[in-house]
Amino acid sequence: MTTAEKITALRALLGDNQANYTDDQLTVFLDLAGAEILNWYYWGNIPADQMDVPSQFEQTQLFAVIAGINGQGTENELARTENGISISFAHPEMVDYIRCNTRPLAKLEW
């Protein structure tokens, strides 16, 4: 999936919330999420030829961006109570979402 296709998907998933973000801002979110996925997946030893997020993690990248955008709107709170209404967030930030939904690569070296 290209960056343009990912931005189109993000705009569809975000609905009315997407009006606040430019393509450049969404690209920065995608780049940050992609870098974190690669770093987490490869345990910090990203192969020199691996520049893009593997296709199996593109959905994780998209939903991590949404978690990051939603976290900004709630000031990265884990939970809050207002007027007797309690809200808690399963994934309060983008990095948390990635680490809960991406299994690091297991590699044995002899």
Side-chain angles (χ1 to χ4, degrees):
M1 195 182 296
T2 66
T3 300
E5 290 170 331
K6 290 177 184 178
I7 288 173
T8 300
L10 283 172
R11 292 204 179 281
L13 292 168
L14 289 168
D16 291 338
N17 295 332
Q18 61 88 17
N20 299 328
Y21 296 94
T22 66
D23 287 357
D24 289 339
Q25 290 171 317
L26 292 175
T27 299
V28 169
F29 271 106
L30 286 166
D31 290 345
L32 291 171
E36 181 62 28
I37 288 168
L38 291 174
N39 192 49
W40 181 251
Y41 182 67
Y42 288 109
W43 296 72
N45 299 313
I46 304 168
D49 63 342
Q50 185 67 52
M51 301 305 291
D52 296 323
V53 173
S55 59
Q56 72 261 32
F57 298 122
E58 287 178 343
Q59 181 177 345
T60 301
Q61 182 184 24
L62 292 173
F63 285 110
V65 169
I66 292 170
I69 288 171
N70 288 339
Q72 280 192 328
T74 59
E75 299 168 354
N76 289 328
E77 297 173 312
L78 296 175
R80 73 167 177 241
T81 301
E82 288 183 29
N83 300 325
I85 299 171
S86 296
I87 300 171
S88 62
F89 304 97
H91 303 289
E93 62 183 17
M94 188 165 61
V95 173
D96 181 58
Y97 184 88
I98 290 168
R99 292 185 178 182
C100 288
N101 290 282
T102 305
R103 181 174 294 150
L105 179 67
K107 184 176 177 183
L108 296 174
E109 294 186 19
W110 299 88

